[in-house]
């Protein structure tokens, strides 16, 4: 591996840095963007149980806010419920926007790595080909060893750039899609909460609890 890095020249070092950053972001986001951690499926029924049984108090709201991003959204809605449906919805939207923004943390950097890594590989290719042409000018076309060294440097950096960029691009789109799906689920649960609190969905929620 060290021989490949050395053969690729100086451009290999920023490519390696990009690979380390990309791997760290991918692992961190895989851990952070777990659906059961961000938007637990039983949370809305739990909140409805508190509301129905008269157990909703400041302690429960704090517990809800500390439980998950969805919990923070629902807690904000409950805190502002007394101000009416519209204010409750506005508060939910503001909190949800902040939480969704937090879920997308580091994704811009991951997307930048996916775009930059192939360009670094291309830069290495250009540098390698410049060395080849310089060798031809100085040594003539008969020195195969010098020519092969420049060509190999060009190929190594190109391959390394693509090896970093392809998974970075894949996971960038994968995480973006997952965030969109989680956002939809959070929106659905928030709408259910608004309807339940203001009496438009009591029967449906009760049936859901029975199930």
């Amino acid at each position: 591996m060290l021989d490949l890095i050395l053969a690729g020249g100086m451009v290999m070092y920023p490519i390696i840095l990009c690979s380390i950053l990309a791997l760290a972001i991918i692992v961190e986001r895989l851990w952070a963007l777990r659906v059961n951690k961000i938007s637990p499926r039983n949370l809305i029924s739990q909140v409805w149980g508190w509301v129905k049984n008269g157990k909703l108090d400041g302690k429960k709201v704090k517990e809800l806010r500390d439980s998950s991003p969805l919990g923070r959204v629902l807690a904000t809605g409950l805190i502002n419920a007394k101000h009416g449906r519209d204010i409750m919805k506005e508060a939910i939207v503001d909190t949800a926007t902040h939480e969704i923004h937090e879920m997308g943390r580091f994704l811009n950097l991951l997307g930048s790595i996916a775009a930059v890594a192939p360009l670094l590989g291309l830069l290495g290719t250009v540098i390698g080909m410049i060395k080849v042409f310089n060798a031809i000018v100085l040594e003539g076309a008969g020195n195969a060893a010098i020519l092969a060294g420049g060509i190999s440097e060009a190929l190594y950096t190109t391959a390394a750039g693509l090896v970093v960029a392809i998974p970075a691009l894949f996971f960038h789109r994968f995480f973006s899609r997952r965030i969109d799906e989680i956002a939809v689920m959070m929106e659905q649960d928030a709408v259910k909460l608004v309807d339940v609190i203001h009496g438009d969905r009591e029967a449906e929620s009760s049936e859901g609890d029975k199930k």
Side-chain angles (χ1 to χ4, degrees):
M1 179 64 70
L2 181 60
D3 291 339
L4 294 177
I5 294 173
L6 294 175
M10 293 298 295
V11 178
M12 288 293 286
Y13 294 104
I15 293 177
I16 292 171
L17 177 60
C18 285
S19 70
I20 294 171
L21 287 174
L23 180 60
I25 292 170
I26 289 168
V27 172
E28 191 274 338
R29 288 293 89 188
L30 282 173
W31 177 257
L33 293 178
R34 291 169 294 157
V35 174
N36 61 344
K37 178 178 181 292
I38 294 175
S39 182
R41 292 296 80 210
N42 65 334
L43 195 58
I44 188 67
S45 60
Q46 183 181 21
V47 173
W48 168 239
W50 293 343
V51 173
K52 184 173 62 174
N53 297 321
K55 295 181 178 180
L56 187 64
D57 54 18
K59 183 179 178 181
K60 291 292 186 183
V61 171
K62 184 179 185 303
E63 177 185 333
L64 180 64
R65 186 172 60 241
D66 296 339
S67 65
S68 64
L70 175 60
R72 285 189 284 276
V73 172
L74 299 182
T76 300
L78 291 171
I79 292 170
N80 289 275
K82 59 186 177 182
H83 300 299
R85 176 187 291 270
D86 291 338
I87 299 298
M88 184 179 180
K89 282 185 175 181
E90 286 181 16
I92 285 174
V93 168
D94 289 342
T95 304
T97 300
H98 173 74
E99 295 298 332
I100 292 169
H101 177 75
E102 283 297 306
M103 284 189 278
R105 187 171 51 175
F106 304 131
L107 289 194
N108 284 339
L109 178 57
L110 186 61
S112 297
I113 290 172
V116 168
L119 296 179
L120 290 172
L122 179 60
L123 176 61
T125 300
V126 172
I127 292 173
M129 296 310 297
I130 289 173
K131 289 182 179 180
V132 170
F133 288 119
N134 285 338
I136 291 174
V137 171
L138 297 174
E139 304 287 340
N143 193 332
I146 295 178
L147 297 180
I151 293 173
S152 65
E153 179 176 337
L155 295 178
Y156 285 142
T157 54
T158 300
L162 291 175
V163 166
V164 174
I166 291 171
L169 178 60
F170 170 81
F171 278 103
H172 180 269
R173 296 192 175 184
F174 172 78
F175 291 137
S176 296
R177 177 63 179 171
R178 175 170 288 188
I179 290 171
D180 289 342
E181 292 173 351
I182 293 173
V184 169
M185 288 189 289
M186 291 175 68
E187 179 184 1
Q188 291 173 343
D189 285 343
V191 169
K192 288 178 184 177
L193 178 67
V194 173
D195 291 344
V196 163
I197 292 298
H198 290 280
D200 297 334
R201 207 163 176 159
E202 183 174 352
E204 181 180 334
S205 297
S206 299
E207 290 175 5
D209 288 343
K210 292 177 183 178
K211 293 179 183 178

